[in-house]
Amino acid sequence: MKKLSAAILMFILFMGVTACSGNREARMRQAAATRNLGESYMMQGKHTAALAEFLKAEKLNPEDPYLQYDLGLVYMAKERFDLAEKHFKNAMALKEGYAAAKNSLGVLHLIRKDWDAAIVVFKETLEDDLYATPQIPLSNLGYAYYQKKDYARAEDYYRQALQKDPEYVNAWRGLGLTYGALGEKQKAVEALEKAVQYAPKAAELHLDLGNAYKAAGDLTKAGTAYEKAVELDPAGQTGEAARKALNKLR
């Protein structure tokens, strides 16, 4: 009887372990599916619906670094910056070398206008030699230094970004604005023309280019650029700013 009881006990224990393992795998699959649904909502700009799905997924699998990253993104979109920072840091703790989460934390610092904190994070991001898009943190460093009015360093980082990706629009725009701040009017025009070349439907770039043309004294081209900005964003803030700038030319 003792041997039989021991055998039955082992069988029960084995079945219990198997059941637990099966339940865990089922939870992981459900969590992944729920996260995927949340990501779909987030891509559609439905941030509240996305957050609801992410929170469901977190109850099932709180140690998913990609889910923690998604939570950071959706909280940042909802301007809950304290929670966004928490989840970006969770993602980084769960996945060593999670450069996307680190870069997003840096962007969060930019939004908060904490330029020095952003610079530290972006420089740490660049230490990862496997990071596939170094032009992004390089350009972000350019923006941080531009905001600090350290235009020499801003120019340097924007140029480094363009060495990595000659068509990176953010870097061309940042470089153009930096040249404008330095009073190098023709260089500002040339850089912003490049930005418009690579993103012709971005109203803000046409507004920037119009301002650069105006500063350089080419009022005809400035007017054309402002008109394009209005055409692309007739009811938005950029279109309104371009409309006011256009009226001042007349």
Side-chain angles (χ1 to χ4, degrees):
M1 284 294 293
K2 289 184 179 179
K3 289 184 179 179
L4 181 60
S5 298
I8 292 172
L9 179 60
M10 289 301 295
F11 176 76
I12 292 171
L13 289 172
F14 174 76
M15 290 302 294
V17 170
T18 303
C20 289
S21 176
N23 289 339
R24 185 178 185 282
E25 289 176 5
R27 285 201 311 275
M28 297 304 99
R29 287 194 298 270
Q30 186 179 349
T34 306
R35 188 191 77 212
N36 289 340
L37 179 58
E39 289 173 350
S40 177
Y41 282 134
M42 191 160 61
M43 291 293 290
Q44 298 172 51
K46 299 177 180 178
H47 299 126
T48 300
L51 178 58
E53 297 304 319
F54 292 151
L55 291 175
K56 291 177 190 175
E58 188 179 31
K59 289 180 180 178
L60 295 165
N61 184 13
E63 296 188 357
D64 178 357
Y66 304 106
L67 173 60
Q68 293 296 323
Y69 177 55
D70 285 340
L71 280 162
L73 291 176
V74 78
Y75 277 125
M76 186 159 66
K78 291 175 75 66
E79 299 185 0
R80 293 296 307 274
F81 300 136
D82 52 340
L83 292 173
E85 180 175 356
K86 170 190 169 184
H87 287 287
F88 287 142
K89 288 181 175 179
N90 286 349
M92 291 159 57
L94 290 166
K95 181 183 176 185
E96 185 177 357
Y98 198 169
K102 182 168 284 188
N103 187 71
S104 294
L105 178 60
V107 171
L108 181 60
H109 289 315
L110 291 182
I111 293 171
R112 287 170 157 172
K113 299 184 180 181
D114 190 346
W115 315 122
D116 291 327
I119 286 168
V120 170
V121 172
F122 291 133
K123 286 184 176 180
E124 289 176 354
T125 303
L126 288 170
E127 291 174 2
D128 182 359
D129 293 331
L130 298 177
Y131 191 43
T133 53
Q135 67 271 22
I136 296 175
L138 284 167
S139 184
N140 287 337
L141 278 165
Y143 180 76
Y145 279 114
Y146 172 82
Q147 292 295 336
K148 285 170 64 71
K149 302 187 187 305
D150 188 341
Y151 300 127
R153 287 189 183 179
E155 178 186 359
D156 179 55
Y157 279 111
Y158 283 132
R159 286 197 166 279
Q160 287 187 55
L162 290 168
Q163 287 175 358
K164 300 294 184 181
D165 181 359
E167 298 183 9
Y168 192 49
V169 173
N170 286 354
W172 279 116
R173 179 180 187 243
L175 189 60
L177 295 177
T178 300
Y179 283 140
L182 289 168
E184 299 187 40
K185 299 174 183 178
Q186 190 54 40
K187 285 186 176 181
V189 166
E190 291 170 359
L192 289 165
E193 285 177 338
K194 281 285 190 182
V196 167
Q197 176 186 335
Y198 294 124
K201 295 185 179 181
E204 191 172 21
L205 295 179
H206 289 278
L207 175 60
D208 290 337
L209 182 56
N211 291 338
Y213 281 136
K214 182 180 177 181
D218 194 334
L219 302 186
T220 300
K221 286 187 176 180
T224 300
Y226 290 143
E227 287 172 353
K228 188 64 177 179
V230 172
E231 175 189 328
L232 290 167
D233 186 33
Q237 291 182 349
T238 298
E240 180 60 23
R243 192 177 291 109
K244 289 180 180 178
L246 187 59
N247 289 335
K248 289 180 181 179
L249 291 180
R250 293 170 177 169

